[in-house]
Amino acid sequence: MSRRRGELYRDPKRGKLAGVCAGLSDYFNMELWLVRIIFISAVLLLGGPFFIVAYIACWFILDVKPEALPHQGKTETVDTERPIEVKSKVWQAGEPPRRALHDLKEQFDRIDGRLQAMEKYVTSPEFTVSREINKL
């Protein structure tokens, strides 16, 4: 988890109302449900009007999260999947280790299937004939 903290954005795609809690969960690398529970608890127990006004202020002040951040450049791979982040603590964002291992196994199985299909084509007579025709 050597991910650097960037700017604070709101994420309306993952959010329920305006995406402020979703943006905070991304910024602090916490689970979204936990940030929502903390916010609701703060509204109910500490000072309702203050936190509600702060939420509305963040709604207007924070920019919407861009689709691709500048430091997250697109790679030139065929299979563009999100990187798997494994969480070491319950409140951190990411996947539990077993789920991450299962996802990695599925990715390697798909890659292995594609590699086998390419190898089957390259060793087939169809590839040889096609290569000879292209040489003409």
Side-chain angles (χ1 to χ4, degrees), residues 49-124:
F50 173 74
F51 286 101
I52 292 173
V53 169
Y55 187 92
I56 292 171
C58 288
W59 185 350
F60 290 114
I61 293 172
L62 295 178
D63 293 329
V64 176
K65 183 178 180 180
E67 291 296 321
L69 294 174
H71 64 278
Q72 295 176 345
K74 299 241 181 196
T75 57
E76 293 185 15
T77 59
V78 175
D79 198 15
T80 56
E81 293 186 11
R82 62 172 176 74
I84 296 175
E85 292 186 20
V86 179
K87 62 181 176 180
S88 58
K89 295 181 178 73
V90 174
W91 62 84
Q92 287 181 332
E95 295 187 29
R98 283 188 184 192
R99 181 68 192 161
L101 182 63
H102 181 70
D103 289 347
L104 284 173
K105 184 181 179 312
E106 285 179 357
Q107 285 182 6
F108 280 122
D109 287 345
R110 280 196 310 270
I111 291 170
D112 186 45
R114 288 175 50 203
L115 184 62
Q116 287 177 1
M118 286 190 306
E119 185 176 295
K120 183 178 178 182
Y121 175 70
V122 169
T123 58
S124 70

Coordinates of all heavy atoms in Angstrom, one line a residue, residues 49-124:
P49 N -26.0 20.0 13.1 CA -26.0 21.1 12.1 C -24.6 21.4 11.5 O -24.4 21.7 10.4 CB -26.5 22.3 12.8 CG -27.3 21.7 14.0 CD -26.7 20.4 14.3
F50 N -23.6 21.3 12.4 CA -22.2 21.6 11.9 C -21.8 20.6 10.9 O -21.3 21.0 9.8 CB -21.2 21.5 13.1 CG -19.8 21.7 12.7 CD1 -19.3 22.9 12.3 CD2 -19.0 20.5 12.7 CE1 -18.0 23.0 11.9 CE2 -17.7 20.7 12.2 CZ -17.2 21.9 11.8
F51 N -22.0 19.3 11.1 CA -21.6 18.3 10.1 C -22.4 18.4 8.8 O -21.9 18.1 7.7 CB -21.6 16.9 10.7 CG -20.4 16.7 11.7 CD1 -20.6 16.7 13.0 CD2 -19.2 16.4 11.2 CE1 -19.6 16.6 13.9 CE2 -18.1 16.2 12.1 CZ -18.3 16.3 13.4
I52 N -23.7 18.7 8.9 CA -24.5 18.8 7.7 C -24.1 20.0 6.9 O -23.9 19.9 5.7 CB -26.0 18.9 8.1 CG1 -26.4 17.6 8.7 CG2 -26.8 19.3 6.9 CD1 -27.8 17.5 9.3
V53 N -23.8 21.1 7.6 CA -23.3 22.3 6.8 C -21.9 22.0 6.2 O -21.6 22.4 5.1 CB -23.2 23.5 7.8 CG1 -22.4 24.7 7.1 CG2 -24.6 24.0 8.1
A54 N -21.0 21.3 6.9 CA -19.7 20.9 6.4 C -19.9 20.0 5.2 O -19.1 20.1 4.2 CB -18.9 20.2 7.5
Y55 N -20.8 19.1 5.2 CA -21.1 18.2 4.1 C -21.5 19.0 2.9 O -21.0 18.8 1.8 CB -22.1 17.1 4.5 CG -22.3 16.1 3.4 CD1 -21.6 14.9 3.4 CD2 -23.2 16.2 2.4 CE1 -21.8 13.9 2.5 CE2 -23.4 15.3 1.4 CZ -22.7 14.1 1.5 OH -22.8 13.1 0.5
I56 N -22.5 19.9 3.1 CA -23.0 20.7 2.0 C -21.9 21.6 1.4 O -21.7 21.8 0.2 CB -24.2 21.5 2.4 CG1 -25.4 20.6 2.7 CG2 -24.6 22.5 1.4 CD1 -26.6 21.2 3.4
A57 N -21.0 22.1 2.3 CA -19.9 22.9 1.8 C -18.9 22.1 1.0 O -18.4 22.6 -0.1 CB -19.2 23.6 3.0
C58 N -18.6 20.9 1.5 CA -17.7 20.0 0.7 C -18.4 19.7 -0.7 O -17.7 19.5 -1.7 CB -17.4 18.8 1.5 SG -16.3 19.0 2.8
W59 N -19.7 19.5 -0.7 CA -20.4 19.2 -1.9 C -20.1 20.3 -3.0 O -19.9 20.0 -4.1 CB -21.9 19.1 -1.6 CG -22.8 18.7 -2.7 CD1 -22.5 18.6 -4.0 CD2 -24.2 18.3 -2.6 NE1 -23.6 18.2 -4.7 CE2 -24.6 18.0 -3.9 CE3 -25.0 18.3 -1.5 CZ2 -25.9 17.6 -4.1 CZ3 -26.3 17.9 -1.7 CH2 -26.8 17.6 -3.0
F60 N -20.1 21.6 -2.5 CA -19.9 22.7 -3.5 C -18.5 23.0 -3.7 O -18.1 23.4 -4.8 CB -20.7 23.9 -3.0 CG -22.1 23.8 -3.1 CD1 -22.9 23.8 -1.9 CD2 -22.8 23.7 -4.3 CE1 -24.3 23.7 -2.0 CE2 -24.1 23.6 -4.4 CZ -24.9 23.6 -3.2
I61 N -17.6 22.7 -2.7 CA -16.2 23.1 -2.8 C -15.4 22.1 -3.6 O -14.6 22.4 -4.4 CB -15.6 23.3 -1.4 CG1 -16.2 24.6 -0.8 CG2 -14.1 23.5 -1.5 CD1 -15.9 24.8 0.6
L62 N -15.6 20.8 -3.3 CA -14.8 19.7 -3.9 C -15.1 19.5 -5.4 O -16.3 19.5 -5.7 CB -14.9 18.4 -3.1 CG -14.4 18.4 -1.7 CD1 -14.7 17.1 -1.0 CD2 -13.0 18.8 -1.6
D63 N -14.1 19.3 -6.1 CA -14.3 18.9 -7.5 C -14.7 17.5 -7.7 O -14.4 16.6 -6.8 CB -13.0 19.1 -8.3 CG -12.6 20.6 -8.4 OD1 -13.5 21.5 -8.4 OD2 -11.4 20.9 -8.5
V64 N -15.4 17.2 -8.8 CA -15.8 15.8 -9.1 C -14.5 15.0 -9.5 O -13.6 15.6 -10.2 CB -16.8 15.8 -10.2 CG1 -17.2 14.4 -10.6 CG2 -18.1 16.5 -9.8
K65 N -14.4 13.8 -9.1 CA -13.3 13.0 -9.4 C -13.2 12.8 -10.9 O -14.1 12.3 -11.5 CB -13.4 11.6 -8.6 CG -12.2 10.7 -8.8 CD -12.4 9.4 -8.1 CE -11.3 8.5 -8.2 NZ -11.5 7.3 -7.5
P66 N -12.0 13.1 -11.5 CA -11.9 12.9 -12.9 C -11.8 11.4 -13.2 O -11.5 10.5 -12.4 CB -10.6 13.5 -13.2 CG -9.8 13.7 -12.0 CD -10.8 13.7 -10.9
E67 N -12.1 11.0 -14.5 CA -12.1 9.6 -14.9 C -10.8 9.0 -14.7 O -10.6 7.9 -14.2 CB -12.6 9.5 -16.4 CG -14.1 9.9 -16.6 CD -15.0 8.9 -15.8 OE1 -14.7 7.7 -15.8 OE2 -16.0 9.4 -15.3
A68 N -9.7 9.6 -15.3 CA -8.4 9.1 -15.2 C -7.5 10.3 -14.6 O -7.4 11.3 -15.3 CB -7.8 8.7 -16.5
L69 N -6.9 10.1 -13.5 CA -6.1 11.1 -12.9 C -4.8 11.2 -13.7 O -4.3 10.2 -14.3 CB -5.8 10.8 -11.4 CG -7.0 10.8 -10.5 CD1 -6.6 10.3 -9.1 CD2 -7.6 12.2 -10.4
P70 N -4.1 12.3 -13.7 CA -2.9 12.5 -14.5 C -1.8 11.5 -14.2 O -1.1 11.0 -15.1 CB -2.5 13.9 -14.2 CG -3.7 14.6 -13.7 CD -4.5 13.6 -13.1
H71 N -1.6 11.1 -12.9 CA -0.5 10.2 -12.6 C -0.9 8.8 -12.8 O -0.1 7.9 -12.6 CB -0.1 10.4 -11.1 CG -1.2 10.1 -10.1 ND1 -2.2 11.0 -9.8 CD2 -1.5 9.0 -9.4 CE1 -3.0 10.4 -8.9 NE2 -2.6 9.2 -8.7
Q72 N -2.2 8.5 -13.2 CA -2.6 7.1 -13.5 C -2.7 7.0 -15.0 O -3.8 6.8 -15.5 CB -3.9 6.8 -12.8 CG -3.9 6.8 -11.3 CD -5.2 6.6 -10.7 OE1 -6.2 6.8 -11.4 NE2 -5.3 6.3 -9.4
G73 N -1.6 7.0 -15.7 CA -1.6 7.0 -17.2 C -2.1 5.6 -17.6 O -1.9 4.6 -16.9
K74 N -2.6 5.6 -18.8 CA -3.1 4.3 -19.4 C -1.9 3.5 -19.9 O -1.0 4.1 -20.5 CB -4.1 4.6 -20.5 CG -5.3 5.3 -20.1 CD -6.5 4.5 -20.3 CE -7.7 5.3 -19.9 NZ -8.8 4.5 -19.8
T75 N -1.9 2.2 -19.6 CA -0.9 1.4 -20.1 C -1.3 0.8 -21.4 O -2.5 0.7 -21.7 CB -0.6 0.2 -19.1 OG1 -1.8 -0.5 -18.8 CG2 0.0 0.8 -17.8
E76 N -0.4 0.3 -22.2 CA -0.7 -0.2 -23.5 C -0.8 -1.7 -23.5 O -0.2 -2.4 -24.2 CB 0.4 0.2 -24.5 CG 0.4 1.7 -24.8 CD 1.4 2.1 -25.8 OE1 1.9 1.2 -26.6 OE2 1.7 3.3 -25.9
T77 N -1.7 -2.2 -22.6 CA -1.9 -3.6 -22.5 C -3.3 -3.9 -23.1 O -4.1 -3.1 -23.1 CB -1.8 -4.1 -21.1 OG1 -2.8 -3.4 -20.3 CG2 -0.5 -3.9 -20.4
V78 N -3.4 -5.1 -23.5 CA -4.7 -5.5 -24.1 C -5.8 -5.7 -23.0 O -6.9 -5.2 -23.2 CB -4.5 -6.9 -24.8 CG1 -5.9 -7.4 -25.3 CG2 -3.5 -6.7 -26.0
D79 N -5.4 -6.2 -21.9 CA -6.4 -6.5 -20.8 C -6.2 -5.4 -19.7 O -5.3 -5.5 -18.9 CB -6.1 -7.9 -20.2 CG -7.3 -8.4 -19.4 OD1 -8.4 -7.8 -19.6 OD2 -7.1 -9.3 -18.7
T80 N -7.0 -4.3 -19.8 CA -6.8 -3.2 -18.9 C -7.8 -3.5 -17.7 O -8.9 -3.1 -17.8 CB -7.1 -1.9 -19.5 OG1 -8.4 -1.9 -20.1 CG2 -6.1 -1.5 -20.6
E81 N -7.3 -4.1 -16.7 CA -8.1 -4.3 -15.5 C -7.5 -3.5 -14.3 O -6.3 -3.1 -14.4 CB -8.1 -5.8 -15.1 CG -8.8 -6.6 -16.1 CD -8.9 -8.1 -15.6 OE1 -8.6 -8.3 -14.5 OE2 -9.3 -8.9 -16.5
R82 N -8.3 -3.2 -13.3 CA -7.8 -2.5 -12.2 C -6.8 -3.3 -11.4 O -6.9 -4.5 -11.3 CB -9.0 -2.1 -11.3 CG -9.7 -3.3 -10.8 CD -10.7 -2.9 -9.7 NE -11.5 -4.0 -9.3 CZ -11.0 -4.9 -8.4 NH1 -9.8 -4.8 -8.0 NH2 -11.8 -5.9 -8.1
P83 N -5.8 -2.6 -10.8 CA -4.9 -3.4 -10.0 C -5.6 -3.9 -8.7 O -6.5 -3.2 -8.2 CB -3.8 -2.3 -9.6 CG -4.5 -1.0 -9.9 CD -5.5 -1.2 -10.9
I84 N -5.2 -5.0 -8.2 CA -5.8 -5.6 -7.0 C -5.1 -5.0 -5.8 O -3.9 -5.2 -5.7 CB -5.8 -7.1 -7.1 CG1 -6.6 -7.6 -8.3 CG2 -6.3 -7.7 -5.8 CD1 -6.5 -9.1 -8.5
E85 N -5.9 -4.4 -4.9 CA -5.3 -3.9 -3.7 C -5.8 -4.8 -2.5 O -7.0 -5.0 -2.4 CB -5.8 -2.5 -3.4 CG -5.2 -1.5 -4.4 CD -5.6 -0.1 -4.0 OE1 -6.0 0.2 -2.8 OE2 -5.6 0.8 -4.9
V86 N -4.8 -5.3 -1.8 CA -5.1 -6.2 -0.7 C -5.1 -5.4 0.6 O -4.2 -4.6 0.9 CB -4.1 -7.4 -0.6 CG1 -4.4 -8.3 0.6 CG2 -4.1 -8.1 -1.9
K87 N -6.2 -5.5 1.4 CA -6.2 -4.8 2.7 C -5.6 -5.6 3.8 O -5.8 -6.9 3.8 CB -7.6 -4.3 3.0 CG -8.6 -5.4 3.2 CD -10.0 -4.8 3.4 CE -11.1 -5.8 3.6 NZ -12.3 -5.2 3.8
S88 N -4.9 -5.0 4.7 CA -4.3 -5.7 5.8 C -5.1 -5.5 7.1 O -5.0 -6.2 8.0 CB -2.9 -5.3 6.0 OG -2.8 -3.9 6.2
K89 N -6.0 -4.5 7.1 CA -6.8 -4.2 8.2 C -8.3 -4.1 7.7 O -8.5 -3.8 6.6 CB -6.4 -2.9 8.9 CG -5.0 -3.0 9.5 CD -4.6 -1.7 10.1 CE -3.3 -1.8 10.8 NZ -2.2 -1.8 9.9
V90 N -9.2 -4.3 8.6 CA -10.6 -4.4 8.3 C -11.1 -3.1 7.7 O -11.9 -3.1 6.7 CB -11.5 -4.8 9.5 CG1 -12.9 -4.8 9.2 CG2 -11.1 -6.2 10.0
W91 N -10.7 -2.0 8.2 CA -11.2 -0.7 7.8 C -10.6 -0.2 6.5 O -11.1 0.8 6.0 CB -11.1 0.3 8.9 CG -9.7 0.6 9.3 CD1 -8.9 1.5 8.7 CD2 -9.0 0.0 10.3 NE1 -7.7 1.5 9.3 CE2 -7.7 0.6 10.3 CE3 -9.3 -0.9 11.3 CZ2 -6.7 0.2 11.2 CZ3 -8.3 -1.3 12.2 CH2 -7.0 -0.7 12.2
Q92 N -9.5 -0.8 6.0 CA -8.9 -0.3 4.8 C -9.7 -0.7 3.6 O -10.4 -1.7 3.6 CB -7.5 -0.9 4.7 CG -6.5 -0.3 5.7 CD -5.1 -0.9 5.5 OE1 -5.0 -2.0 5.1 NE2 -4.1 -0.1 5.9
A93 N -9.5 0.2 2.6 CA -10.2 -0.2 1.3 C -9.4 -1.3 0.6 O -8.2 -1.4 0.8 CB -10.2 1.1 0.4
G94 N -10.0 -2.0 -0.2 CA -9.4 -3.1 -0.9 C -10.1 -4.4 -0.7 O -11.2 -4.5 -0.2
E95 N -9.4 -5.5 -1.1 CA -10.1 -6.8 -1.0 C -9.4 -7.6 0.1 O -8.2 -7.4 0.3 CB -9.9 -7.5 -2.4 CG -10.6 -6.9 -3.5 CD -10.5 -7.8 -4.8 OE1 -10.4 -9.0 -4.6 OE2 -10.5 -7.2 -5.9
P96 N -10.2 -8.5 0.7 CA -9.6 -9.4 1.6 C -8.6 -10.3 0.9 O -8.7 -10.5 -0.3 CB -10.7 -10.2 2.2 CG -12.0 -9.6 1.7 CD -11.6 -8.7 0.6
P97 N -7.5 -10.8 1.6 CA -6.5 -11.6 0.9 C -7.0 -12.8 0.1 O -6.6 -13.1 -1.0 CB -5.6 -12.0 2.1 CG -5.8 -11.0 3.1 CD -7.2 -10.6 3.0
R98 N -8.0 -13.5 0.7 CA -8.5 -14.7 -0.1 C -9.2 -14.3 -1.4 O -9.0 -14.9 -2.4 CB -9.6 -15.4 0.8 CG -8.9 -16.3 1.8 CD -9.9 -17.1 2.5 NE -9.2 -17.8 3.6 CZ -9.7 -18.8 4.3 NH1 -10.9 -19.3 4.0 NH2 -9.1 -19.4 5.2
R99 N -10.0 -13.2 -1.3 CA -10.6 -12.7 -2.6 C -9.6 -12.3 -3.6 O -9.8 -12.5 -4.8 CB -11.6 -11.6 -2.2 CG -12.4 -11.1 -3.4 CD -13.3 -12.1 -3.9 NE -13.8 -11.7 -5.2 CZ -14.4 -12.5 -6.1 NH1 -14.5 -13.8 -5.8 NH2 -14.8 -12.0 -7.2
A100 N -8.6 -11.6 -3.1 CA -7.5 -11.1 -4.0 C -6.8 -12.3 -4.6 O -6.5 -12.2 -5.8 CB -6.5 -10.2 -3.2
L101 N -6.5 -13.3 -3.9 CA -5.9 -14.5 -4.4 C -6.8 -15.2 -5.5 O -6.3 -15.6 -6.5 CB -5.5 -15.5 -3.3 CG -4.8 -16.7 -3.7 CD1 -3.4 -16.4 -4.3 CD2 -4.7 -17.7 -2.5
H102 N -8.1 -15.2 -5.2 CA -9.0 -15.8 -6.1 C -9.0 -15.0 -7.4 O -9.0 -15.5 -8.5 CB -10.4 -15.9 -5.5 CG -11.4 -16.5 -6.4 ND1 -11.5 -17.8 -6.7 CD2 -12.5 -15.9 -7.0 CE1 -12.5 -18.0 -7.5 NE2 -13.1 -16.9 -7.7
D103 N -9.1 -13.6 -7.3 CA -9.1 -12.8 -8.5 C -7.8 -12.9 -9.3 O -7.8 -12.9 -10.5 CB -9.2 -11.3 -8.1 CG -10.7 -11.0 -7.6 OD1 -11.5 -11.9 -7.8 OD2 -10.8 -9.9 -7.0
L104 N -6.6 -13.0 -8.6 CA -5.4 -13.2 -9.3 C -5.4 -14.5 -10.1 O -4.9 -14.6 -11.2 CB -4.2 -13.2 -8.4 CG -3.8 -11.8 -7.9 CD1 -2.7 -11.9 -6.8 CD2 -3.3 -11.0 -9.1
K105 N -5.9 -15.6 -9.4 CA -6.0 -16.9 -10.1 C -6.8 -16.8 -11.3 O -6.5 -17.4 -12.4 CB -6.5 -17.9 -9.1 CG -6.5 -19.3 -9.7 CD -7.1 -20.3 -8.7 CE -7.1 -21.7 -9.3 NZ -7.7 -21.9 -10.6
E106 N -8.0 -16.1 -11.3 CA -8.8 -16.0 -12.4 C -8.1 -15.2 -13.6 O -8.2 -15.6 -14.7 CB -10.1 -15.2 -12.1 CG -11.1 -16.0 -11.3 CD -12.3 -15.3 -10.9 OE1 -12.4 -14.0 -11.2 OE2 -13.2 -15.9 -10.3
Q107 N -7.4 -14.2 -13.2 CA -6.6 -13.4 -14.2 C -5.6 -14.3 -14.9 O -5.4 -14.3 -16.1 CB -6.0 -12.2 -13.6 CG -6.9 -11.0 -13.3 CD -6.2 -9.8 -12.7 OE1 -5.0 -9.8 -12.6 NE2 -7.0 -8.9 -12.3
F108 N -4.8 -15.0 -14.1 CA -3.8 -15.9 -14.6 C -4.4 -17.0 -15.5 O -3.8 -17.4 -16.5 CB -2.9 -16.5 -13.6 CG -1.8 -15.6 -13.1 CD1 -1.8 -15.2 -11.8 CD2 -0.9 -15.0 -14.0 CE1 -0.8 -14.4 -11.3 CE2 0.1 -14.2 -13.5 CZ 0.1 -13.8 -12.2
D109 N -5.6 -17.5 -15.1 CA -6.3 -18.5 -15.9 C -6.7 -18.0 -17.3 O -6.5 -18.6 -18.3 CB -7.5 -19.1 -15.2 CG -7.1 -20.0 -14.0 OD1 -5.9 -20.5 -14.0 OD2 -8.0 -20.3 -13.2
R110 N -7.2 -16.7 -17.3 CA -7.5 -16.1 -18.6 C -6.3 -15.9 -19.4 O -6.3 -16.1 -20.6 CB -8.3 -14.8 -18.3 CG -9.7 -14.9 -17.9 CD -10.4 -13.6 -18.1 NE -9.8 -12.5 -17.4 CZ -10.0 -12.1 -16.1 NH1 -10.8 -12.8 -15.4 NH2 -9.4 -11.1 -15.6
I111 N -5.2 -15.4 -18.8 CA -4.0 -15.2 -19.6 C -3.5 -16.5 -20.1 O -3.0 -16.6 -21.3 CB -2.9 -14.5 -18.7 CG1 -3.4 -13.1 -18.4 CG2 -1.6 -14.5 -19.4 CD1 -2.5 -12.4 -17.3
D112 N -3.5 -17.6 -19.3 CA -3.1 -18.9 -19.8 C -3.9 -19.4 -20.9 O -3.4 -19.9 -21.9 CB -3.1 -19.9 -18.6 CG -2.5 -21.2 -18.9 OD1 -1.4 -21.2 -19.6 OD2 -3.1 -22.2 -18.6
G113 N -5.2 -19.2 -20.9 CA -6.1 -19.6 -22.0 C -5.8 -18.8 -23.3 O -5.7 -19.4 -24.3
R114 N -5.5 -17.5 -23.2 CA -5.2 -16.7 -24.3 C -3.8 -17.2 -24.9 O -3.6 -17.3 -26.1 CB -5.1 -15.3 -24.0 CG -6.5 -14.7 -23.8 CD -6.4 -13.2 -23.3 NE -5.6 -12.4 -24.1 CZ -5.1 -11.3 -23.7 NH1 -5.3 -10.8 -22.5 NH2 -4.3 -10.6 -24.5
L115 N -2.9 -17.5 -24.0 CA -1.5 -18.0 -24.5 C -1.6 -19.3 -25.2 O -1.0 -19.5 -26.2 CB -0.6 -18.0 -23.3 CG 0.9 -18.4 -23.6 CD1 1.5 -17.3 -24.5 CD2 1.6 -18.5 -22.3
Q116 N -2.5 -20.2 -24.6 CA -2.7 -21.5 -25.3 C -3.3 -21.4 -26.6 O -2.9 -22.1 -27.6 CB -3.5 -22.4 -24.4 CG -2.8 -22.9 -23.2 CD -3.7 -23.8 -22.3 OE1 -4.9 -24.0 -22.6 NE2 -3.1 -24.2 -21.2
A117 N -4.3 -20.4 -26.8 CA -4.9 -20.2 -28.1 C -3.9 -19.7 -29.1 O -3.9 -20.1 -30.2 CB -6.1 -19.3 -27.9
M118 N -3.1 -18.7 -28.6 CA -2.0 -18.2 -29.6 C -1.1 -19.3 -30.0 O -0.7 -19.4 -31.1 CB -1.3 -17.0 -28.9 CG -2.1 -15.8 -28.8 SD -1.1 -14.3 -28.3 CE -0.4 -14.8 -26.8
E119 N -0.6 -20.1 -29.0 CA 0.3 -21.2 -29.3 C -0.3 -22.2 -30.3 O 0.4 -22.7 -31.2 CB 0.7 -21.9 -28.0 CG 1.8 -22.9 -28.2 CD 2.2 -23.5 -26.8 OE1 2.8 -22.7 -26.0 OE2 2.0 -24.7 -26.6
K120 N -1.6 -22.5 -30.1 CA -2.3 -23.4 -30.9 C -2.3 -22.9 -32.4 O -2.2 -23.6 -33.3 CB -3.7 -23.7 -30.4 CG -4.5 -24.7 -31.2 CD -5.8 -24.9 -30.5 CE -6.6 -25.9 -31.3 NZ -8.0 -26.1 -30.7
Y121 N -2.6 -21.6 -32.5 CA -2.7 -21.0 -33.8 C -1.3 -21.0 -34.5 O -1.2 -21.3 -35.7 CB -3.3 -19.6 -33.7 CG -3.3 -18.9 -35.1 CD1 -4.1 -19.2 -36.1 CD2 -2.4 -17.8 -35.3 CE1 -4.1 -18.6 -37.3 CE2 -2.3 -17.2 -36.5 CZ -3.2 -17.6 -37.5 OH -3.2 -16.9 -38.7
V122 N -0.3 -20.6 -33.8 CA 1.1 -20.5 -34.4 C 1.6 -21.8 -34.8 O 2.3 -21.9 -35.8 CB 2.0 -19.8 -33.4 CG1 3.5 -19.9 -33.8 CG2 1.6 -18.3 -33.2
T123 N 1.2 -22.9 -34.1 CA 1.7 -24.2 -34.5 C 0.8 -24.9 -35.5 O 1.1 -26.1 -35.9 CB 1.9 -25.1 -33.2 OG1 0.6 -25.2 -32.5 CG2 3.0 -24.5 -32.3
S124 N -0.3 -24.3 -35.9 CA -1.2 -24.9 -36.8 C -0.8 -24.8 -38.3 O 0.0 -23.9 -38.6 CB -2.6 -24.3 -36.7 OG -2.6 -23.0 -37.2

